[in-house]
Amino acid sequence: MSPFNFDKARRLQDILAQKIRLEPLNRPLKFIGGADFAASETQGKIAAALIVLDAIFLEIVDKVILIKRINFPYLPGFLCFREGPVFLSALKKIKFPPSVWFIDGNGLAHPRHLGLASFVGVMADIPTIGCAKSAFFPYEEPDNFRGSFTIYRDRKGDQVGYCLRTRTGVKPLFVSPGHKVSFEDALFLTLEFSRFRLPEPLRLAHFLARQIFKS
DNA sequence: GCGACAG
DNA sequence: ATCTTGTCGC
């Protein structure tokens, strides 16, 4: 049993964060992906649920579930080491790679600017957007209608994303670029593909994930 | 030093 | 994340 080396993990995150590319999404939007996760502590297993949708009709074109043994506990700020490896394994089984992935968690919006979405984005060199359901940093509440947003900043005051109301009367999302997308892409694409609170691929991946360890 | 802290 | 029924509102 080797105890987790926090300093080493932080240094790795710092190195990977330097590799993040913030740039407009260049490829056409044919497919869009969503990834969510579920864990069973009793079984000691963690699962990734990946969904790929047609970007126009929002029909499922690809679906992958992959289960691994849990090798890491949940620690705020280190989620990528728990859920990242399962996603990267599942990604290899995807037959129709999407133009962009919506990931359940943060991208840039992270104490060291390397949330789960940025981690998997850099590791696999794919465009990713982080969509978190709760905040890492203090934030200003956007107006209570769909499309309203505020700038989301880290503790130093630098922008790391947006606090976005994807649906009127519902709690906002914390949206941040993961990799190979711009701030504007992260904002507009998340809003564009959200009929309910979560962007549609993420919502479906969430349903799929929560099924895995039930019954 | 203390509390807060994605899932 | 998860434990958990009915209930209120659009």
Side-chain angles (χ1 to χ4, degrees), chain A residues 91-108:
Chain A
L91 185 64
K92 296 174 185 168
K93 304 182 76 174
I94 287 290
K95 296 292 199 299
F96 299 94
S99 312
V100 62
W101 284 98
F102 293 94
I103 306 291
D104 183 44
N106 286 304
L108 266 192

Side-chain angles (χ1 to χ4, degrees), chain A residues 43-138:
Chain A
Q43 295 182 43
K45 289 179 177 176
I46 186 158
L50 277 55
I51 290 277
V52 180
L53 303 183
D54 182 288
I56 296 176
F57 301 106
L58 301 184
E59 290 167 346
I60 297 177
V61 299
D62 208 345
K63 176 195 304 192
V64 168
I65 289 175
L66 198 135
I67 300 175
K68 268 186 179 314
R69 281 210 313 255
I70 293 180
N71 64 337
F72 203 78
Y74 169 68
L75 297 171
F78 300 93
L79 182 64
C80 63
F81 297 112
R82 176 180 170 89
E83 298 187 342
V86 202
F87 173 86
L88 295 173
S89 294
L91 185 64
K92 296 174 185 168
K93 304 182 76 174
I94 287 290
K95 296 292 199 299
F96 299 94
S99 312
V100 62
W101 284 98
F102 293 94
I103 306 291
D104 183 44
N106 286 304
L108 266 192
H110 178 277
R112 286 168 299 282
H113 294 172
L114 194 89
L116 174 63
S118 292
F119 176 86
V120 299
V122 168
M123 293 297 288
D125 196 30
I126 51 177
T128 57
I129 295 170
C131 295
K133 298 181 290 298
S134 62
F136 239 129
F137 307 116

